[in-house]
Amino acid sequence: PPPEETVTMTVSYSEYGPHVGDQDALKLTVAGAVEETGQVVAKELRVRLRSPELTLTLLAPPVVGQETPIQVVFQNPLPETLSEATLRMEGAGISCPKPFRL
């Protein structure tokens, strides 16, 4: 019978980060048992991780036949420094993606 009880648990990035890899989701499972009856209860939840947004800004008016400078801005949401990050630009007239190492 009531009252209902809420339990809060925090999962830090240091705990789940090494297991995510290229995936963009976490699968959380909670299980428990009712002491009096021995009944097992369980629930699963899939959480999609958000990717940081990229903001693209033209720094000069685009002119046919000339280079166009573009500013790319994003904020690293993780509590650790990014390493070996690469941005790739694709578009009309670009024969292969241009990588830019950060």
Side-chain angles (χ1 to χ4, degrees), residues 6-68:
T6 300
V7 177
T8 301
M9 298 176 73
T10 301
V11 182
S12 68
Y13 176 73
S14 62
E15 291 177 283
Y16 73 81
H19 307 287
V20 174
D22 291 339
Q23 302 298 315
D24 63 351
L26 295 176
K27 185 168 77 170
L28 305 171
T29 304
V30 176
V34 179
E35 229 176 75
E36 294 80 9
T37 64
Q39 179 185 13
V40 175
V41 291
K43 181 72 176 181
E44 217 172 69
L45 174 66
R46 189 172 178 91
V47 179
R48 186 158 190 266
L49 301 173
R50 230 176 27 136
S51 296
E53 285 191 30
L54 294 174
T55 303
L56 304 174
T57 306
L58 287 173
L59 299 178
V63 177
V64 174
Q66 294 183 8
E67 289 185 359
T68 302

Side-chain angles (χ1 to χ4, degrees), residues 49-55 72-78 82 87:
L49 301 173
R50 230 176 27 136
S51 296
E53 285 191 30
L54 294 174
T55 303
V72 180
V73 177
F74 76 101
Q75 183 175 358
N76 177 10
L78 303 176
L82 292 177
L87 293 175

